[in-house]
Amino acid sequence: MGRSFCLAVGQSPAELSTPQDRLDWLANALPAVVAEGTDLLVLPELFAIGYNIGDQVVARSEPVDGPTARAIATLAKAHGVAIHYGFAEADGDAIFNAAQCFGPDGTRLGGHRKLAIPPGFERAHFTPGQGCTLFTYRDVRIATLICYDAEFPETARYVASLGAELILAPTALGAQWEWVAQRMIPTRAYENGVYLAYANSAGVENGMPFLGQSFIATPDGHELVRAGAQPEVIYGTLQLDKVSAAQTRLPYLRDRKALGPDIR
């Protein structure tokens, strides 16, 4: 029997108004998540603080080992499940739109700082990150790309070339961008032969409506599961042998080298 991995995507309510409200929602959701046999729960972009909060981003930013991080690490350990979530990372004078993951023993497994800062309020607050790394959890090689990062074909191709089998993409996708969730981002999984989990918020936050429609896409061009417009947690069992099978069937990662140095 091949390797399998149980993934949950938490499409949390956008209207949760404080960081404590968000921690309370997570704590209440975790018993059901664990009951499904989940290995890892992925949560949306800036889950810990809220997305459409303007200048409050500054006051709610924390270092990677700040109070919210410690609370989530404690929840991960108490429930025996890995938790991957978005937050505003404070590092000196800089603030990053970031995500990190704590394992079921409460240790930090890895993190990512958003590379591409889109037009809008984010550019007034966030410094772009630099580079991508993978972390390994339960023998699965995992990369993170936050929202706009994943809309560039180059980023998904790069982490797949590093050996990623699963891309976690926390997002804060507004209701007007349905094509991105329905067509663009699932294509990133297919064209690289990897699993991709897209975790969005649902509902309205300070006048901003979110699309919802979180999903898990498979390496062979299928949709394992997709959420609707309302808050919910969705689940999927990943069969990791499908990654190598998809990359053998469509060897884009190998054959792109034949395109020549000016293209690849």
Side-chain angles (χ1 to χ4, degrees), residues 133-151:
T133 59
L134 308 185
F135 67 91
T136 299
Y137 171 58
R138 295 196 173 164
D139 201 32
V140 181
R141 296 185 297 278
I142 301 171
T144 303
L145 296 173
I146 299 173
C147 195
Y148 198 40
D149 287 348
E151 295 178 24

Side-chain angles (χ1 to χ4, degrees), residues 48-96:
I49 68 166
Y51 181 81
N52 190 36
I53 60 172
D55 291 342
Q56 292 183 74
V57 164
V58 178
R60 294 183 180 185
S61 64
E62 297 180 1
V64 295
D65 58 352
T68 301
R70 294 195 298 272
I72 290 179
T74 297
L75 286 171
K77 188 173 182 178
H79 292 275
V81 65
I83 301 173
H84 184 284
Y85 70 100
F87 71 111
E89 179 190 343
D91 185 0
D93 293 332
I95 299 175
F96 298 92

Side-chain angles (χ1 to χ4, degrees), residues 114-140:
K114 190 173 184 176
L115 306 170
I117 309 301
F121 95 95
E122 286 192 52
R123 290 192 179 176
H125 298 290
F126 295 117
T127 298
Q130 299 291 323
C132 298
T133 59
L134 308 185
F135 67 91
T136 299
Y137 171 58
R138 295 196 173 164
D139 201 32
V140 181

Side-chain angles (χ1 to χ4, degrees), residues 7 13 16 35 38 54 62-63 66-67 70 79 91 121 134 158 160 201 204 221 225 231 236 245 251 260:
L7 184 65
L16 296 169
T38 300
E62 297 180 1
R70 294 195 298 272
H79 292 275
D91 185 0
F121 95 95
L134 308 185
Y158 176 69
S201 297
V204 179
V225 62

